[in-house]
Amino acid sequence: MADAGDPMIPRLFRAARVRRELHDVVTLDLLPTQGEPAPFRPGQFNMLYAFGIGEVAVSLSGDPNRHGTYVHTVRDVGAVTGAIARLASGAILGVRGPFGTAWPTEDAEGSDVVIVAGGLGLAPLRPAICAVLANRARHGRVVLLYGTRSPRDILYRHEIERWRRRLDVDISVTVDHADATWRGNVGVVPKLVQHAEFDPLSSVALVCGPEVMMRFTASALLEKGVPAERIYLSMERNMKCAVGLCGHCQFGPAFICKDGPVMSYDRLAGLLAVREI
Ligand SMILES: Cc1cc2nc3c(=O)[nH]c(=O)nc-3n(C[C@H](O)[C@H](O)[C@H](O)COP(=O)(O)OP(=O)(O)OC[C@H]3O[C@@H](n4cnc5c(N)ncnc54)[C@H](O)[C@@H]3O)c2cc1C
Ligand code: FES
C-alpha cells in the first residue's frame, strides 16, 4: 500500500474523462479532488466505490509513468460495475488503493517477455506493456498474444495498431468467432503460444484473462519449456477489505488481495487443479 492514509477510507476522485471502449466496457481517467494519487505498479488494483451501491476491485490500466491520474477499464457485469460504467464525466467516486502484487517487469529485464491476454485481461496487462516498451532496450523479444470472442470485442484497438507499427514487438491477435471483415487468426489464444517465437528458458510470461484461459495458456507455456516460476497469472476473487483482514478473497492458503493478484504459476498450479476453491 503506497498511500500513507488509512487504506480502509476511500479518497474522493473525479472522473475527468470517460470513454466507451466496447458496448459494455468504459475507460475512466480519475483525478483526486485533493492532492496527488499514490503511485502504482503494473498489475495492482484499486477498490472503486460507487456511492450508495458498493465497492469493487478494478485493476489499474494506465501507463505507470503517467503520474497524477488513475486509469481504469471497467466491464459492466453487475450492480457496481454497471453504476461505474454509467458515470458521466465530472462524476465523483471513492477510491482505495493501490493494492496487491505487481507484474515482475523489472525482474524481466534481460529476458524475452511473453504477454498473453484474454478479453478484458488486456486491461491489467496494459501498464506492464507500457513499462516494458518504455524500457524496450532492456528486454529481448517482446511478444503480445491477445484473444477475444469476436473482432468487435477487441479492446484498445487503436493502441494495438500503434504497438504493431513498432518493429520491435511481435503481436498476434485471435478471435473465437470471426465475422465477414476478419482476416486474422481464429481460435483460442493458448494456440498462439505454440507458434510464437521466443526463448522459453529465458522468458518471463505474464498472463491475464478468464481462469480457464489462464490454465490452458500456462499448460501451453510449460509445454514449450517456460519454467513454472517464470509464468505469472493475475487471479480474481471476490474482494471486500482488500488488505488481508476479511478472508473474502481466500484461495487455499493465499489471500488474493495481498499475496496476489499477480502470482507465479509454481504457487498456483496445485490450487488451480482443485475444484471449488
Ligand atoms: C484483482 C481484481 C482486478 C479486477 N480488475 C477488473 C478490471 O480491470 N475491470 C473490470 O471490469 N473488472 C475487474 N475485476 C472484476 C470486478 O471486480 C467484478 O466484475 C465486480 O466485482 C463485479 O461486481 P458487480 O457489483 O458489478 O457485479 P455483481 O452484481 O456482484 O455480479 C453480477 C453478476 O455478474 C457475475 N460476475 C461477477 N464478476 C464477474 C466477472 N468478472 N466477469 C463476468 N461475470 C461476473 C456474477 O457472478 C453475477 O452473476 C477485477 C477483480 C479483481 C479481484
Ligand atoms: S479482500 Fe479481505 S482478505 Fe482479501
Side-chain angles (χ1 to χ4, degrees), residues 36-122:
E36 283 288 305
F40 71 95
R41 292 179 298 145
Q44 289 193 297
F45 67 94
N46 278 328
M47 296 299 289
L48 302 188
Y49 179 36
F51 293 110
I53 301 173
E55 201 182 36
V56 288
V58 180
S59 300
L60 277 306
S61 64
D63 184 341
N65 292 316
R66 198 181 136 208
H67 300 290
T69 310
Y70 286 153
V71 179
H72 288 284
T73 299
V74 180
R75 168 163 279 147
D76 174 357
V77 297
V80 182
T81 51
I84 293 170
R86 287 190 296 276
L87 288 176
S89 294
I92 301 288
L93 73 172
V95 177
R96 293 192 292 127
F99 299 114
T101 55
W103 299 112
T105 49
E106 282 157 22
D107 299 348
E109 290 185 5
S111 304
D112 289 1
V113 184
V114 183
I115 297 160
V116 192
L120 200 69
L122 188 58

Side-chain angles (χ1 to χ4, degrees), residues 239-242 244-249 255 257:
M239 305 253 173
K240 287 285 178 230
C241 72
L245 290 177
C246 73
H248 261 81
C249 66
F255 283 175
C257 65

Side-chain angles (χ1 to χ4, degrees), residues 109-111 131-142 166 168:
E109 290 185 5
S111 304
V132 167
L133 295 184
N135 283 311
R136 182 64 193 85
R138 298 199 190 150
H139 301 282
R141 276 177 182 270
V142 176
R166 297 174 62 123
D168 55 2

